[in-house]
Each structure stands twice: as structure tokens, then as C-alpha cells.
Amino acid sequence: MLGFLERPVVVTADINLNVVALTAVGLLSRLWQLAYPRAVVFDEVYYGQYISFYMKRIFFLDGSGPPFGHMLLALGGYLGGFDGNFLWNRIGAEYSSNVPVWSLRLLPALTGAFSIPMAYQILLELGFSHCAAMGAALLMLIENALITQSRLMLLESVLIFFNLLAVLSYLKFSNSQKHRPFSLSWWFWLMLTGVACSCAVGVKYMGIFTYLLVLAVASVHAWHLIGDQTLSNVCVLCHLLARAAALLVIPTLMYLLFFYVHLILVYRSGPHDQIMSSAFQASLEGGLARITQGQPLEVAYGSQVTLKNVFGKPVPCWLHSHQSTYPMIYENGRGSSHQQQVTCYPFKDVNNWWIVKDPGRHQLVVNNPPRPVRHGDVVQLVHGMTTRFLNTHDVAAPLSPHSQEVSCYVDYNISMPSQNLWRLDIVNRESDTEVWKTILSEVRLVHVNTSAVLKLSGAHLPDWGFQQLEVVGEKLPQGYHESMVWNVEEHRYGKSQEQKERELELHSPAQMDVSRNLSFMARFLELQWRMLTAKSDDSEHKYSSSPLDWVTLDTSIAYWLHPRTSAQIHLLGNIVIWASASLAMVVYILLFFWYLLRRRRSICDIPEDSWLRWVLAGALCAGGWAVNYLPFFMMEKTLFLYHYLPALTFQILLLPVVLQHVSDHLCRSQLLRSLFSALVVAWYSCACHVFNTLRPLTYGDKSLSPSELKALRWKDSWDILIRKH
């Protein structure tokens, strides 16, 4: 019965020493002197701020992408014991002793290193030789720009890793489909494809390009699967459902998970709060939540409120008035009503308070019990500090002559009566009897006399308006727009009818008994919308470049310069690899269309299996380059050379594919193959020589003389290498 104990337990495993060697060399190239330089390098000043926010649990918003990449960088800081106390305000600033530089840069370095063996595996899964696979991995290993980007606290290497992981996982799944469908490995690689795609999108929005590419290839394969007559209808349905679950449902759930974890981690109020809605701010600890905690929920006649514009652009602001009046005559000679100014003010101020008044009564206090204001009610808004009524009339606004001027009415005893009745329109109501609620209700104020809607125009008033934002009455509103929508942010029940006592109330904080909880989905949707609509920094940068500059390597970026020596780090591409990769792309496209035309004439130059392998390699490699490069031509944001690196990675994978194809199918004789192989070896040697030449600028560990820097010049763009020398 225990006879199995008489024999030893033997475990056998196939170990690809090529993968082991590539991983080891990749780790060495990326981890060597990783903590050097111990100073803020280029965009580390940007990502470091968010890491500090995570460490201190402070909410932030980054319009460049979802939070997964930031969380990964913050994980390195957490594991290194970083407390978040460092001022990320200047490139080149020396890191203090409490900043674990090695730990913060570790994850990008690891992903950069593991991308090398993944390139090897992708070529093998595509059906190409070990020699071609080794060639792709070696190119990834010695590409200077990839090394530089992966050795710093930046996200491009993390994005490239998940892009390659998504492609590799799908290829392994596709190859498992041919032999063992619905096996454990089949499910593993299919699920990992979905996970990798979601992680790529979670690191940067650019990851969606590779995700869409994988979906496109998977859709074509699924279409062929539907036409497979050897499979039953039930089997085909199971295949389609499995793919839909793994490639659509899992990425969606994981994307939500990234934001769920993010919002759990950053639960405290911070400097980015005012971009968000009042309801979102009230869900954060401190800040507005501290101010509004316990406010009355229902707005009643006699309530004292501040009204925030929902649009929040160009900056978040509150409906505001002050003693100053509009000038009698504007600079362009146009006249005004000379009434009290009404503006939108981007700071909290006592002049932001308004009293909701019942037009049929004189009192400015809340009854007991309170009479709530409902959708459709007509109200007057009385400015708390000046007791003048919000008013609009058929006078052109200061900066928007097509709209009406909004003022607080001053009785000058002339033929201009007050027009201060406003109808409340709750745009997010659930019924026509909805009560106006603090923070939660989004309302439009429609002028009863003229049907104009109270709107933030967004224009900055001149000096006479203290550079505050113009508020107008929109006479012919073209549908719904957030600039016409307001919500009550701070709210208290007015208790005093006397002006002096009421001013004391307005200066005092309100604390009453109401609590609010915003659901995760509501916060997710708002945060996602704010990220997608956040205004990108379109200002010129001295190292910015156009997509055309990337292909020809007509640009570079000075990342860091030693304050005392000439040691420096630059984002520089290996010109031999970049030029060869671009040439390989051209050769592939020409050969592809040549073969396609000849196949249309029923002339097959290469075997069918080679053709299918050629097409799939082009779809993933050439397609990966195209989807990660061409969209930048349509973007208006400031672009840099590092934006090209994900596309370059796919182009590098295509290069050995083209080389092997030329050797196998175009070099007809053994002599030609030998000459071509010798040429390839010489070319690899040139690439290695360029890598070694640029190595001091890749690692920044060597001081260079002015003559050495000048010798490294590539076209006019390399003038940056000899600045200050």
C-alpha cells in the first residue's frame, strides 16, 4: 500500500536557458546603479507628487490617465517605507534621506527588464526561429531610449510591459486553441489576456490602442471559428461567451477595481478638490466635508446658501456680488445699467452668500417648520451682505452683448424697474415635486420676465470687475449645458431678520445634522468624466516634438544634468535600431501588398502556413506600431519623444520577422543567405557600437568633455548635448 514511498519523487521541467539568460542580462542592464542619480529626473517631479498624495491619502486628479500606474509606483514607495514628505517642485533637486529612490524606481526597471524575454517569447509564439526571437530580444536590450525610460520613476516601461504581455498571452491562448481548447492553460492565457489589456489601459489611456488591436485580432479569429463546420453550435457559443467574458467583462471589472482601490486610498481632501462637484468634495474627509458636515438637506424659504457653478471651467467659482457697480460706459462706448455687479468668484468669500426668499413674504428667516423649495417654485435671491435682489433685464452683458446683464438691483428712481423673480428648474429631479436639496440638486434659475437662464460665460471681467468671471442671462439657451447649472454647496437656516445679526450669521460656520454618502459608481463616473475632459497642458515645451520628429529621431530630451560635473542623462534612441526598424516597416508593407496582389492572381510565392504567419506577425507588430503611433497626429496635447516608445517596441519586434523572411524566402541560394547573414551580424555589431557610445548619456554615470559631447551629436537636434559647454 505504501509502495510509492520506495521510489523517489521526480519532477522534470523544461527550462529555456535563452529566456533565463535574457532575463538576467535585462535585469542587470536596468537595475545597475538604479538609485543613481539621487535627484529628481525630468517627469519624476510629476509622478512623485502623486506618490506623496497616496502616502498621505490625499485625493488628486491626473488627466493623463487612470490611477493604476500611479498606484504601482506608490506601491514601490510604500514597500520602501516612504512617508510622502518630499517637495517635488524642481527637476534636479536632491532627494532627501527619507526618499527610497531605489524602491521607487524598481517597478519600472523590472517591467523594462521582463519586456526583453517577452519579446523573445512573442516571436516564438508567432512561429519564427529562436535566432529571430533572440534578435528581437537583443534589440530591446540595447535600445538606449528603452533603457533610460525604464530606469526612472516613469510609466512608459510599465505600459510597454502590459502591452507585450497582452499580445504574448493572446498568442499563447491562440496556439492552445489549436490543440487543447478549454484546457486549464487555455483558460489561463485567455484570462491573462483580458487582465493584461485592462492593466495597460489602467496605466495610461494609450493602452487602449493595444487593447483594441488585440480585440480586432480576436474578432477575426472568432469570425473564422463561427465558420468552422466541425464545431457544434453549442461549442461555438461557448467559445464566443468565453472570449466575451475574458476580453470584455474582465477588463471592465478590473478598470472599475482600479478606481475603487484608488478612491479608498485617497479619501482625504486635497488641492485638486475644487475641480470636483460639491457632492464629491463632501464625500472626502476634511475640506468641504468638514465645512458642510451636518448642513440641512432641504433648501427652504429663508435658507442662506452659496451657489457653485457645476461647469467648473475655466475655474470652479461661486455666484458672488459686492458693493461695486458696473461702469456707466464701457471701453467700447456701450452703456450699462450701472447696477451692482454680479460675478462668479473662484474663492470662498462671505459675499458668496445668498438668501432664498419667498416673493410673497418679507421675512428672510426660515419658518418652523421649514417650508421647502420645490421644482418649479418662483423665488427671489437676496444677496446676504448687501440685501439687494438678484436681477436681470434687457441690457447687454459687459463682455457678452448677445446675453443679458445680471446685477443686484439698485433703485435709481428711473424707468428701470426691478425684475428679480426666478423659477427653479431642478435638472436632475426624479419627479416634478422634487425638493431642492443641498449639494445633491443641480438647478437652473430661469428668469420669469425674460426666460433668460442664469449662466456662467467664463469670460474674465476687466479691472473694474476685479478680474472675476462674468455671469449673464442667456436669452436663447441652446439645450442643456453645465455652465447654466448651479448647486447649493454651503447651507444654513437663517434665524435673524435684522441685517447686523444676519451678517454675523453669514460669518459664522454652519453645523447641523445631515450626512451624505455618494455611491462609488457616482464618484467613479464623475472622476472619469473630469479626467477625460480635463484641459491638457498645450503650452510649448523646449523638449516637445512632433510625431514626424520621432521616426527620424530628430529630437531628444535632456533628463538630468549633474550640478557640478558634465555627467548627464538624455533620452536618446539608438539610431541604427530606429532607422532599421522604420526600413523594416516599409519593406514589410511593400512585400505584403506584393504577395497580396500575386495571390489575387493565384500565384503563391510562399507556402500557406508562411503566409498566415506573415499576416499575423504584421497584424500584431505592424498593427501595434500603427495604433500606438498614428493617433498622435490627431492629438493637440504637448508631445515628447517618449510617447513613441510603445510604438517603437512593436516596430522592433517586426524587424527580425522581416530579416528572417528575407533570408528564408528571398535569398534563393546558399551564397546569398551567407552574405545576408554576414550583413545582419555586421548590422547588429553597429547597433551594439551605438549603444556603447551612447551609454554614458543613458546611465549618466560618466563625465564627458565638451569634445566628447560634440562627437555624440546627431543632426541639429543634438545641440542640447553641448549646452553650457
Side-chain angles (χ1 to χ4, degrees), residues 103-151:
S103 179
L104 288 169
R105 293 174 179 167
L106 177 61
L107 187 70
L110 290 177
T111 54
F114 292 143
S115 295
I116 295 169
M118 273 204 296
Y120 173 86
Q121 291 282 3
I122 287 173
L123 266 290
L124 289 185
E125 292 298 327
L126 283 170
F128 292 89
S129 66
H130 285 273
C131 184
M134 282 294 292
L138 289 175
L139 292 176
M140 295 276 291
L141 176 68
I142 62 173
E143 212 302 296
N144 297 79
L146 293 179
I147 296 174
T148 301
Q149 201 71 12
S150 62
R151 285 174 46 80

Side-chain angles (χ1 to χ4, degrees), residues 125-126 170-180:
E125 292 298 327
L126 283 170
Y170 183 77
L171 288 173
K172 284 188 171 290
F173 156 74
S174 181
N175 290 334
S176 298
Q177 169 72 25
K178 301 173 185 176
H179 309 292
R180 301 182 305 279

Side-chain angles (χ1 to χ4, degrees), residues 87-356:
L87 189 61
W88 309 86
N89 62 347
R90 180 173 60 85
I91 296 175
E94 293 289 327
Y95 283 122
S96 56
S97 59
N98 69 310
V99 180
V101 181
W102 192 87
S103 179
L104 288 169
R105 293 174 179 167
L106 177 61
L107 187 70
L110 290 177
T111 54
F114 292 143
S115 295
I116 295 169
M118 273 204 296
Y120 173 86
Q121 291 282 3
I122 287 173
L123 266 290
L124 289 185
E125 292 298 327
L126 283 170
F128 292 89
S129 66
H130 285 273
C131 184
M134 282 294 292
L138 289 175
L139 292 176
M140 295 276 291
L141 176 68
I142 62 173
E143 212 302 296
N144 297 79
L146 293 179
I147 296 174
T148 301
Q149 201 71 12
S150 62
R151 285 174 46 80
L152 302 170
M153 192 171 56
L154 307 171
L155 287 179
E156 275 65 35
S157 64
V158 183
L159 174 62
I160 290 170
F161 171 82
F162 285 117
N163 283 346
L164 295 182
L165 181 60
V167 172
L168 176 61
S169 301
Y170 183 77
L171 288 173
K172 284 188 171 290
F173 156 74
S174 181
N175 290 334
S176 298
Q177 169 72 25
K178 301 173 185 176
H179 309 292
R180 301 182 305 279
F182 297 106
S183 65
L184 187 62
S185 63
W186 185 92
W187 279 108
F188 173 79
W189 291 115
L190 177 59
M191 295 296 181
L192 186 58
T193 303
V195 170
C197 287
S198 61
C199 289
V201 178
V203 170
K204 283 198 168 188
Y205 283 130
M206 287 171 55
I208 199 170
F209 301 142
T210 302
Y211 176 38
L212 293 176
L213 175 68
V214 172
L215 279 182
V217 174
S219 298
V220 172
H221 287 171
W223 182 252
H224 290 307
L225 196 69
I226 293 173
D228 190 347
Q229 296 296 321
T230 64
L231 301 176
S232 66
N233 292 340
V234 174
C235 186
V236 170
L237 180 61
C238 291
H239 274 287
L240 296 179
L241 289 176
R243 285 161 172 77
L247 300 180
L248 296 175
V249 177
I250 286 181
T252 301
L253 293 177
M254 286 202 64
Y255 189 76
L256 290 172
L257 179 63
F258 298 150
F259 281 89
Y260 183 78
V261 175
H262 172 70
L263 291 172
I264 286 178
L265 292 176
V266 290
Y267 58 86
R268 292 175 179 161
S269 174
H272 296 179
D273 288 12
Q274 290 195 4
I275 301 173
M276 312 305 294
S277 70
S278 301
F280 193 102
Q281 294 180 53
S283 69
L284 299 172
E285 180 182 297
L288 183 61
R290 176 180 53 81
I291 297 172
T292 61
Q293 182 179 11
Q295 289 185 157
L297 178 61
E298 296 184 348
V299 178
Y301 291 106
S303 286
Q304 300 168 358
V305 300
T306 64
L307 290 166
K308 183 181 180 183
N309 190 265
V310 171
F311 191 42
K313 294 180 180 179
V315 290
C317 63
W318 292 262
L319 189 66
H320 176 94
S321 187
H322 39 244
Q323 292 281 358
S324 300
T325 59
Y326 291 110
M328 290 285 289
I329 303 295
Y330 296 123
E331 291 82 352
N332 59 7
R334 193 161 46 86
S336 81
S337 67
H338 198 46
Q339 300 281 321
Q340 182 173 301
Q341 295 175 17
V342 171
T343 64
C344 205
Y345 190 50
F347 301 99
K348 293 185 181 296
D349 187 88
V350 70
N351 281 313
N352 297 347
W353 284 93
W354 299 82
I355 302 168
V356 181

Side-chain angles (χ1 to χ4, degrees), residues 392-406:
T392 187
H393 38 223
D394 193 16
V395 175
L399 304 180
S400 307
H402 58 281
S403 301
Q404 292 182 176
E405 175 192 85
V406 175

Side-chain angles (χ1 to χ4, degrees), residues 358-387:
D358 183 347
R361 302 189 181 190
H362 292 292
Q363 66 186 46
L364 298 177
V365 296
V366 176
N367 290 340
N368 189 15
R371 287 193 304 124
V373 183
R374 299 180 183 276
H375 169 74
D377 286 354
V378 174
V379 301
Q380 293 172 314
L381 290 177
V382 182
H383 187 240
M385 296 302 291
T386 63
T387 65

